[in-house]
C-alpha cells in the first residue's frame, strides 16, 4: 500500500454547536473551538473535522446550507474561520470542513430562484416534477427523516425531491452546472488552507435513470429510500470527476460518509486512486439497521461489535484504510450503545477505546468520547431537537408503542445523545457556556468532565492520551499503522482480541468486557509455535499477561502486548 501523510494521524470530530461557547449565547462557536486548540494538541490530535458551520437555517443543524461561502453568524465570522485555520496550523493540526452537497437548504439562493422560475436555469439545479392533478406523488419513496420525498415547490405547480428533510432539496448532479458549482466551492475552501473534507451523505447524489415506485414497507404506503439507491448506477462518474477536478489538484484529504456502496465497489471508493482517501467503517450501523423504525433496531452488544469489526477487516483487507469510530454526531454515545448498564464502568470504557483505537485504519474520536460521555435520558418528546428523532418518536407511537417505550427508544438512539454540550468541568452547564445551552446538558457532567479527568492518571481521558502516544511511538508505529489485522476468532463471549502483525513484530490487542478473569488462547505463530510471553505496552489499569500461548486478562482488563516468539530450538 502506498503510504500517505494521513495514515499515521489521529482525527477528532467537533460538533461546533455543542463544543464550546465563547460569548455566552448558549451556542458553541469558532472562537470556542480556537480556545480549545491547546486541549486538542495536548490530546495528540492531528486532524479536526468540523461539522458544518456554513450559513444555515439549522433545520438539520447545519446540514442544510444556505450559503457555501459564508459562516453562520451564530458560529462566528469568516475572519474567525481564517483564524481557526491559522491557529490550528501553528499547532500542527489540519482542519476538515464538512462537504454537504447532496442537497442545499431551501433558503439557498438557487432554490429561491428555482421557485421564481422553475423552468429557468435554477429549476434545473433540482429534481422537479409536475404535480399530478389527482395528487399522486411521482414516487412512493420515504425520506430519511420520515414522510414522502416530495414537496410542493412554493408558488408553483411543481414538486421537488428531498431524500432528507423538506428543507433540504436534493441538488441535481446530472446537471453539469451543479457539479461545476460544487467543485468551485471545494477549490475555494482548499485555497483557504483547509486540509480537505468529510463528505456528507454522498451515496445519494446518484439517482436511478427511471424514477419508480417500490413495494411499500410500512403502513404509510411508502418505501425505504434504499430501494432507489440500489437502482442507481454510475455514481463513479461524478465521484471520479470530483476527485480529479477538485480534490486532486490540492491533494485534499477526504473521508466519505458512505453507507451503501455496491458489492465489490470498495476498491473504487478507497483503493488506489479511489474517489476518497478513506471512508468510515459503518458496519455497526449497517448491522443494527432499523426495520420498521428506530424502535426496531437490532441491539448491538460487544460480541456484535466484535463481529462487525472482524468482518469489516476481512472485507477491506489491503484495499485501503477505513476511518474507525465508535460514535459520531448521528449516533448514540459508543459507551452507552456498546456497553450495557452492568458493564459501563471506566475500565470497560478504556477497554472499548483500546480495541477500537488500535485497529488498522484512521481513528476518529468524537468530542466527549475521550472522557467517556454517555447517552442522556430523554424525558419527553418536547425536549428533542433532532428532526429525525422527532420522526422516530412518531413512528414508534404509530406502531403501537407506549409513550414510555417510545421515549426509551429515543434515549438509546436519538442523535441528540451525541449533541449535548461537551462536558468541560463540573461548573454550571458543564463549563460549556455561561448562558443557557441550546440543548440541555447531560446531568452526569458533575461526574464525567474533562477537568476532573485531566488530573487523574487512570481516567478515560488519560487512557486516550496513552493510546495516541502508543500509536505515534516510533518503536511500534509501523506495526500499529500498517500491520496486518489478524482476528483471534475464537476468543469467546464478551472478549475481543486480535493481533497486529508487522514486519518483525506482533502486537496483541485484547479487551475483556466481563467482570471475571479470562484466559484466551492465542493463534500460533506462522511456523506453528506458541507465543511464549510478551511485554505490556499499555493496559487499562487491570492486569494482563501472556504466558505459554495464552493471554490472561483481569475482569474488564484490556491491553496491547508486544508478543515474544519462542526462540527456535
Ligand atoms: C449525514 C449527516 C447527518 C445529516 C444528513 C443529511 O448523514 O451526518 O447529520 O442529517 O447527512 O445531511
Ligand atoms: Ca456562542
Amino acid at each position: 500500500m502506498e503510504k500517505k501523510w494521513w495514515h499515521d494521524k489521529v482525527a477528532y470530530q467537533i460538533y461546533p454547536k455543542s463544543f464550546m461557547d465563547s460569548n455566552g449565547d448558549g451556542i458553541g462557536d469558532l472562537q470556542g473551538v480556537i480556545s480549545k486548540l491547546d486541549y486538542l494538541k495536548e490530546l495528540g490530535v492531528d486532524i479536526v473535522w468540523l461539522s458544518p458551520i456554513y450559513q444555515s437555517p439549522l433545520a438539520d443543524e447545519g446540514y442544510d446550507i444556505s450559503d457555501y461561502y459564508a459562516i453562520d453568524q451564530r458560529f462566528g465570522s469568516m475572519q474567525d474561520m481564517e483564524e481557526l485555520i491559522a491557529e490550528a496550523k501553528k499547532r500542527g493540526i489540519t482542519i476538515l470542513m464538512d462537504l454537504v452537497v447532496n442537497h442545499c437548504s431551501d433558503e439557498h439562493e438557487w432554490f429561491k430562484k428555482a421557485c421564481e422560475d422553475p423552468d429557468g436555469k435554477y429549476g434545473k439545479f433540482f429534481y422537479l416534477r409536475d404535480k399530478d392533478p389527482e395528487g399522486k406523488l411521482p414516487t412512493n419513496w420515504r425520506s430519511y427523516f420520515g414522510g414522502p420525498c416530495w414537496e410542493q415547490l412554493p408558488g408553483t405547480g411543481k414538486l421537488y425531491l428531498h431524500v432528507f428533510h423538506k428543507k433540504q432539496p436534493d441538488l441535481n448532479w446530472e446537471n453539469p452546472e451543479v457539479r461545476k458549482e460544487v467543485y468551485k466551492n471545494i477549490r475555494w475552501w482548499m485555497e483557504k488552507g483547509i486540509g480537505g473534507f468529510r463528505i456528507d451523505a454522498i451515496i445519494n447524489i446518484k439517482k436511478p435513470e427511471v424514477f419508480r415506485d417500490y413495494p411499500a414497507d410500512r403502513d404509510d404506503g411508502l418505501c425505504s429510500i434504499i430501494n432507489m439507491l440500489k437502482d442507481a448506477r454510475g455514481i463513479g462518474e461524478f465521484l471520479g470527476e470530483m476527485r480529479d477536478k477538485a480534490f486532486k489538484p490540492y491533494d485534499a484529504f477526504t473521508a466519505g460518509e458512505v453507507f451503501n456502496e455496491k458489492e465489490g465497489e470498495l476498491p473504487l471508493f478507497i483503493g488506489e486512486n479511489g474517489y476518497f482517501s478513506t471512508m468510515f467503517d459503518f458496519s455497526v450501523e449497517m448491522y443494527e439497521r432499523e426495520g420498521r423504525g428506530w424502535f426496531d433496531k437490532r441491539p448491538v452488544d460487544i460480541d456484535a461489535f466484535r463481529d462487525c469489526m472482524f468482518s469489516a477487516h476481512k472485507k477491506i483487507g489491503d484495499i485501503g484504510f477505513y476511518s474507525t469510530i465508535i460514535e459520531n454526531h448521528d449516533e448514540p454515545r459508543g459507551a452507552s450503545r456498546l456497553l450495557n448498564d452492568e458493564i459501563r464502568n471506566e475500565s470497560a470504557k478504556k477497554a472499548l477505546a483500546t480495541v477500537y483505537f488500535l485497529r488498522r485504519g484512521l481513528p476518529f474520536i468524537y468530542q466527549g468520547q475521550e472522557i467517556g460521555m454517555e447517552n442522556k435520558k430523554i424525558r419527553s418528546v418536547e425536549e428533542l431537537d433532532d428532526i429525525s428523532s422527532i420522526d422516530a418518536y412518531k413512528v414508534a407511537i404509530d406502531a403501537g408503542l407506549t409513550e414510555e417505550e417510545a421515549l426509551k427508544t429515543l434515549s438509546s438512539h436519538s442523535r441528540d445523545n451525541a449533541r449535548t454540550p461537551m462536558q468541560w468541568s463540573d461548573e454550571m452547564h458543564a463549563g460549556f457556556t455561561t448562558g443557557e445551552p441550546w440543548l440541555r446538558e447531560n446531568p452526569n457532567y458533575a461526574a464525567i468532565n474533562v477537568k476532573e479527568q485531566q488530573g487523574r492518571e487512570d481516567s478515560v481521558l488519560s487512557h486516550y492520551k496513552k493510546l495516541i502516544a502508543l500509536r505515534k511511538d516510533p518503536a511500534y508505529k509501523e506495526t500499529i499503522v500498517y500491520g496486518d489485522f489478524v482476528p483471534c476468532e475464537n476468543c469467546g463471549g464478551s472478549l475481543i482480541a486480535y493481533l497486529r502483525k508487522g514486519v518483525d513484530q506482533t502486537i496483541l490487542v485484547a479487551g475483556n468486557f466481563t467482570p471475571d478473569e479470562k484466559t484466551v488462547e492465542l493463534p500460533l505463530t506462522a511456523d506453528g509455535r506458541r507465543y511464549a510471553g510478551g511485554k505490556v505496552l499499555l493496559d487499562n489499569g487491570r492486569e494482563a499477561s501472556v504466558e505459554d500461548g495464552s493471554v490472561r486478562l483481569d475482569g474488564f482488563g484490556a491491553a496491547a502486548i508486544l508478543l515474544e516468539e519462542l526462540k527456535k530450538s
Side-chain angles (χ1 to χ4, degrees), residues 60 63 103 145 164 198 200-201 257 329-330 415 419:
D60 186 21
Y63 286 90
H103 44 267
F145 296 154
F164 290 94
R198 173 267 184 179
D200 185 71
E257 187 201 25
H329 68 292
D330 291 330
R415 304 198 298 178
R419 302 176 180 186

Side-chain angles (χ1 to χ4, degrees), residues 347 350 458 463 466 538-544 554-559:
S347 297
K350 288 187 272 181
D458 63 353
H463 190 69
K466 289 177 202 161
L538 166 144
D539 62 34
N540 68 339
R542 308 260 165 165
E543 276 207 18
D554 269 359
F556 298 119

Side-chain angles (χ1 to χ4, degrees), residues 12-74:
Y12 188 95
Q13 180 190 355
I14 290 183
Y15 195 73
K17 199 173 182 187
S18 307
F19 191 59
M20 182 66 202
D21 175 22
S22 72
N23 61 352
D25 66 356
I27 296 177
D29 46 50
L30 292 176
Q31 283 300 333
V33 176
I34 294 171
S35 73
K36 295 296 182 187
L37 282 172
D38 286 332
Y39 166 78
L40 297 174
K41 171 86 189 151
E42 207 204 311
L43 183 58
V45 168
D46 312 287
I47 298 174
V48 167
W49 152 29
L50 284 187
S51 272
I53 35 98
Y54 310 89
Q55 185 182 297
S56 162
L58 304 189
D60 186 21
E61 295 303 355
Y63 286 90
D64 48 322
I65 298 169
S66 56
D67 186 345
Y68 290 94
Y69 298 91
I71 302 294
D72 195 276
Q73 278 179 21
R74 284 163 282 197

Side-chain angles (χ1 to χ4, degrees), residues 167-281:
K167 283 189 70 63
Q168 296 167 299
D170 279 53
L171 287 164
N172 182 0
W173 273 67
E174 306 294 336
N175 179 353
E177 295 279 317
V178 167
R179 305 204 297 274
K180 226 168 90 189
E181 287 290 350
V182 170
Y183 308 154
K184 187 176 112 191
N185 180 251
I186 293 173
R187 289 193 293 256
W188 190 87
W189 278 105
M190 291 308 300
E191 292 285 340
K192 279 227 171 282
I194 63 166
F197 295 89
R198 173 267 184 179
I199 302 175
D200 185 71
I202 196 69
I203 208 77
N204 299 284
I205 63 172
K206 187 71 193 182
K207 275 58 174 186
E209 219 165 290
V210 181
F211 282 21
R212 63 179 179 102
D213 284 354
Y214 301 92
D217 50 30
R218 288 185 200 164
D219 293 343
D220 59 6
L222 303 174
C223 71
S224 160
I225 200 81
I226 306 299
N227 292 290
M228 81 83 176
L229 288 182
K230 283 190 186 142
D231 271 352
R233 300 264 169 264
I235 192 172
E237 280 165 42
F238 298 158
L239 298 180
E241 184 185 76
M242 174 157 68
R243 171 197 58 208
D244 295 339
K245 295 201 164 160
F247 299 144
K248 260 214 181 134
Y250 295 92
D251 194 20
F253 167 82
T254 53
E257 187 201 25
V258 181
F259 277 98
N260 307 87
E261 90 276 6
K262 297 191 171 64
E263 184 82 31
E265 274 185 343
L266 202 55
L268 296 173
F269 276 79
I270 55 170
E272 222 169 288
N273 197 33
Y275 309 135
F276 306 126
S277 312
T278 173
M279 60 194 233
F280 294 96
D281 171 16

Side-chain angles (χ1 to χ4, degrees), residues 395-430:
V395 169
I397 296 289
D398 289 349
L401 271 74
T402 64
E403 193 185 327
E404 197 187 330
E405 289 164 340
L407 287 173
K408 208 167 150 217
T409 290
L410 291 175
S411 294
S412 34
H413 296 296
S414 173
R415 304 198 298 178
D416 280 352
N417 281 311
R419 302 176 180 186
T420 59
M422 176 72 184
Q423 294 167 199
W424 294 107
S425 71
D426 62 0
E427 283 156 47
M428 193 143 85
H429 302 310

